[in-house]
Amino acid sequence: MRRSLSAPLSDRDRELKGRIFDIQSYSVHDGPGCRTLIFMSGCPFRCKWCCNPESFYNRQGKLYRASKCVNRADKRCTRCLEACPYGAVSDNSQDPDHPMKFDWEKCHVCTTFECVKACYDDALVTISEEYTVEQIMHILERDRHYWSGNGGVTFSGGDPMFQPEFLLAVLERCDEAYIHKAIETEASASTDVYLNVMRHMDFAFNDLKSMDTEKHREYTGMGNEQVLQNIRAFTSSNCSARLILRTPVIRGFNDTEEDFDKIGAFMREVGLNELNILPFHRLGVSKWEELSMTYAFADDKPTSPEKLESLRKVVQGHGVKCYVGSETPF
Ligand code: SF4
Ligand code: SF4
């Protein structure tokens, strides 16, 4: 029987909080049916192409949207400068692209964010919020009326497994409420955590970015050993989730037929037969700017259809079904 949400929470569930940087309802590309997407903060990787770089840290941070900043020659504003107690802000109104300058070393360790409270123009915004298990369950109960028969919740990030205790507490509640659960994961957690989470899942997109661990380290900050170990562990476990591997195509990192031949061979070896190839896009570029970080692929174009087709054929040669972009059949 479905558990009522008024059922008492355990002490652990009541006290736990998870850091979340976005919640989206009505998603149709991140698992079967219509879904609620929960974007959880924190990731051990630092992928140079990441479209959610605000998820890198599992702590509060801020974005500076210079285009909204009104500290211009014709309309001065120095509210954030006056509000910051740490001397991290300086007037830069002579540069219309960056009318305020921030000492990001100071901002990265800030916990008070007075500048954000002082900005009335949404030029400064905090990145994330903390939620309790109960708050998440209320959002899911609200949304479930709009999910189609096989819809549900998808945990994304960041890597949701970066907050395992909170994630597992929510998953247990979803199990009790018969909610369909999906995850988009980097699979970088310890194998124990990875399998504990995957045992709750009905569906998973699991990134496998490259079989070359040195390149993996150069472009993401970490080697691929843990990812490969986790995928192998999944295939010999009793987890019943439908697992689809996912590979973004990144110039100079993994965009050759040889790269995808190695991925296809690995999948054949471990007995997985579905791969989702994601064409490169620049959707995250503005967030890199808002965090004052340098985006390495600012001049790159989206992956050409010809290249995607050639990579697909290589993968299919290993007996693996290959979906490009949002083609994945759910
Ligand atoms: S984030 Fe903190 S340190 Fe940075 S400008 Fe705002 S108040 Fe100052
Ligand atoms: S308070 Fe907001 S609008 Fe004003 S200078 Fe600072 S960032 Fe710009």
Side-chain angles (χ1 to χ4, degrees):
M1 210 165 96
R2 201 168 116 196
R3 173 174 158 165
S4 156
L5 284 180
S6 58
L9 286 166
S10 69
D11 288 346
R12 182 201 68 167
D13 285 4
R14 214 186 334 270
E15 282 165 22
L16 271 179
K17 285 189 176 157
R19 185 161 287 284
I20 287 163
F21 67 93
D22 199 8
I23 296 178
Q24 294 175 5
S25 302
Y26 316 117
S27 162
V28 291
H29 295 305
D30 302 278
C34 181
R35 310 189 69 81
T36 300
L37 238 61
I38 311 243
F39 291 90
M40 298 181 63
S41 300
C43 184
F45 289 161
R46 295 291 176 267
C47 301
K48 292 176 191 262
W49 60 87
C50 182
C51 59
N52 291 326
E54 75 275 39
S55 71
F56 283 173
Y57 301 100
N58 179 21
R59 55 175 159 74
Q60 188 58 288
K62 77 159 197 280
L63 301 173
Y64 173 50
R65 297 172 173 158
S67 62
K68 293 196 170 185
C69 179
V70 297
N71 186 31
R72 313 269 165 188
D74 55 337
K75 184 188 178 194
R76 304 300 305 283
C77 173
T78 54
R79 286 193 303 265
C80 55
L81 189 155
E82 286 148 25
C84 173
Y86 313 108
V89 193
S90 49
D91 189 330
N92 197 42
S93 51
Q94 76 282 0
D95 178 355
D97 291 333
H98 302 94
M100 276 295 177
K101 256 193 176 166
F102 296 89
D103 179 339
W104 286 87
E105 300 261 311
K106 289 181 178 160
C107 296
H108 283 317
V109 292
C110 184
T111 56
T112 53
F113 299 94
E114 279 93 340
C115 60
V116 175
K117 293 170 210 152
C119 180
Y120 304 148
D121 297 280
D122 275 350
L124 290 168
V125 291
T126 46
I127 290 172
S128 55
E129 278 180 51
E130 284 190 321
Y131 287 78
T132 62
V133 174
E134 195 169 15
Q135 284 171 318
I136 294 295
M137 294 313 298
H138 275 294
I139 290 168
L140 298 183
E141 281 294 321
R142 178 199 69 193
D143 283 5
R144 75 184 304 165
H145 303 291
Y146 304 102
W147 299 334
S148 52
N150 54 356
V153 58
T154 298
F155 299 92
S156 187
D159 188 345
M161 294 195 195
F162 204 80
Q163 301 186 60
E165 218 188 336
F166 181 77
L167 178 61
L168 283 164
V170 175
L171 287 172
E172 282 167 20
R173 297 276 285 161
C174 289
D175 286 345
E176 291 165 359
Y178 294 102
I179 290 174
H180 186 280
K181 299 157 297 292
I183 191 167
E184 296 175 325
T185 179
E186 308 296 330
S188 56
S190 72
T191 302
D192 276 355
V193 166
Y194 176 82
L195 289 181
N196 278 343
V197 170
M198 290 305 244
R199 282 194 186 97
H200 291 273
M201 290 299 163
D202 300 297
F203 181 94
F205 277 124
N206 190 126
D207 267 31
L208 173 57
K209 303 170 203 300
S210 169
M211 294 301 294
D212 180 334
T213 193
E214 283 317 312
K215 270 202 169 169
H216 202 281
R217 193 181 313 283
E218 184 187 340
Y219 280 76
T220 75
M222 288 174 71
N224 65 4
E225 289 83 0
Q226 189 66 42
V227 178
L228 298 180
Q229 179 178 311
N230 286 342
I231 294 170
R232 284 183 201 280
F234 177 91
T235 57
S236 51
S237 73
N238 57 1
C239 298
S240 58
R242 176 182 170 196
L243 185 87
I244 300 181
L245 294 188
R246 207 174 219 186
T247 309
V249 181
I250 308 297
R251 172 186 56 81
F253 169 57
N254 66 359
D255 62 340
T256 68
E257 292 187 6
E258 191 187 349
D259 286 302
F260 278 79
D261 188 47
K262 287 180 184 163
I263 289 173
F266 172 75
M267 292 182 70
R268 184 164 56 178
E269 177 204 325
V270 299
L272 289 172
N273 68 349
E274 291 183 283
L275 180 70
N276 181 205
I277 297 182
L278 296 179
F280 170 78
H281 61 70
R282 280 182 304 190
L283 288 182
V285 64
S286 60
K287 291 185 188 168
W288 284 76
E289 285 164 8
E290 290 164 4
L291 289 160
S292 202
M293 300 193 307
T294 306
Y295 185 62
F297 300 95
D299 298 322
D300 277 43
K301 296 198 168 31
T303 322
S304 72
E306 295 76 26
K307 166 150 280 192
L308 291 167
E309 276 315 305
S310 75
L311 299 178
R312 188 207 298 262
K313 282 204 180 87
V314 169
V315 174
Q316 286 172 332
H318 290 278
V320 170
K321 292 178 202 151
C322 187
Y323 319 122
V324 171
S326 58
E327 282 177 0
T328 304
F330 293 117

